[in-house]
Amino acid sequence: MYSVLPSECINAKEILVHQSLLVANLVSLTDARWVWWNTITREAGVPEPRHKWVQCADSSTQDLLAHMSDICDFIDHMAFPDLSSLHSLPVERKHETNDERRGAASEAILIHCDLGKSRSPTIIIAYLMRKLNMQQADILHFVQSKQKIKPSTNFTRQLQVWEEVGFQVWEDEDRTVPKPAYKAFLEIRDVLLRKRGLTGNEPLAPQSL
């Protein structure tokens, strides 16, 4: 059985080698730390093909929509066939403890950022929206009932766009024509970038530290 786990403010290495939980796949949403995470995932036995790293910052101009489909596809592919049977939000059994929930899952996909408050919850919400064809508000409420999260204003708006475009931001397979809602988002983002003298293509941080 697979679990899709967000990160929290805990030691990442302890998560990866937790005795009752095998983190078999990893989605990293960070501005750098690529080498650091690669070292830990190798030690924990997570091979590079099972580790998807998206370089991104928790900023007012970061575009996560451009990556959402690929990340959701990665989760679906790595968790198949376990998540293929997921058709509704899981119902927590009464009196079930955290240890029991962790022990019930033999493998997991860890989705992490730096604090587990904004970037990683945004991706988890986006994935569940697409997987279950549900609205942002319902998924947000569900995830907030599990842990303290606070997606930024920018990412909250992107989740609204994600819902408006039907969980696919492009009109064409070549990804050259954005759907109207995504195009409008990109135009607003472009204005913000130009005000700051940026293009949006500036490196966030070195890929190796």
Side-chain angles (χ1 to χ4, degrees), residues 65 68 72 75-76 86-89 121-143 151 155-168:
L65 283 164
M68 280 185 181
C72 290
I75 295 171
D76 272 335
L86 180 66
H87 301 298
S88 61
L89 292 174
T122 296
I123 291 301
I124 290 171
I125 292 168
Y127 174 77
L128 291 174
M129 287 171 65
R130 190 182 84 161
K131 181 68 178 178
L132 304 177
N133 193 26
M134 292 181 64
Q135 295 180 346
Q136 172 200 356
D138 295 328
I139 301 296
L140 176 62
H141 177 74
F142 170 77
V143 176
F155 293 153
T156 299
R157 173 55 187 149
Q158 290 183 52
L159 288 171
Q160 294 171 349
V161 173
W162 184 239
E163 182 176 324
E164 291 171 18
V165 299
F167 319 126
Q168 174 53 260

Side-chain angles (χ1 to χ4, degrees), residues 36-209:
W36 182 74
W37 266 100
N38 247 9
T39 301
I40 290 180
T41 53
R42 283 199 302 270
E43 291 176 359
V46 179
E48 186 173 341
R50 290 183 171 274
H51 180 192
K52 185 172 185 62
W53 177 60
V54 177
Q55 189 178 30
C56 60
D58 191 353
S59 70
S60 61
T61 57
Q62 177 65 57
D63 179 10
L64 275 181
L65 283 164
H67 305 285
M68 280 185 181
S69 290
D70 288 341
I71 297 173
C72 290
D73 289 345
F74 174 84
I75 295 171
D76 272 335
H77 177 69
M78 291 304 174
F80 182 84
D82 300 87
L83 283 179
S84 62
S85 61
L86 180 66
H87 301 298
S88 61
L89 292 174
V91 178
E92 185 172 323
R93 297 193 301 271
K94 288 185 178 181
H95 311 302
E96 186 180 41
T97 66
N98 287 334
D99 288 339
E100 288 172 337
R101 284 196 298 273
R102 288 175 178 173
S106 59
E107 294 185 338
I109 298 175
L110 174 66
I111 301 173
H112 84 94
C113 50
D114 286 333
L115 298 177
K117 302 296 183 183
S118 184
R119 282 168 288 184
S120 56
T122 296
I123 291 301
I124 290 171
I125 292 168
Y127 174 77
L128 291 174
M129 287 171 65
R130 190 182 84 161
K131 181 68 178 178
L132 304 177
N133 193 26
M134 292 181 64
Q135 295 180 346
Q136 172 200 356
D138 295 328
I139 301 296
L140 176 62
H141 177 74
F142 170 77
V143 176
Q144 285 178 328
S145 72
K146 302 300 179 183
Q147 73 175 66
K148 293 180 180 179
I149 65 166
K150 190 177 182 181
S152 68
T153 301
N154 177 34
F155 293 153
T156 299
R157 173 55 187 149
Q158 290 183 52
L159 288 171
Q160 294 171 349
V161 173
W162 184 239
E163 182 176 324
E164 291 171 18
V165 299
F167 319 126
Q168 174 53 260
V169 298
W170 302 105
E171 294 278 13
D172 58 329
E173 292 184 0
D174 293 332
R175 300 185 177 188
T176 59
V177 182
K179 289 185 177 179
Y182 183 43
K183 182 179 179 181
F185 165 79
L186 291 175
E187 290 172 348
I188 294 173
R189 175 177 179 263
D190 185 58
V191 171
L192 291 174
L193 288 168
R194 282 190 280 110
K195 284 182 178 179
R196 300 173 185 180
L198 302 172
T199 65
N201 297 317
E202 291 78 10
L204 297 177
Q207 291 195 12
S208 59
L209 299 179

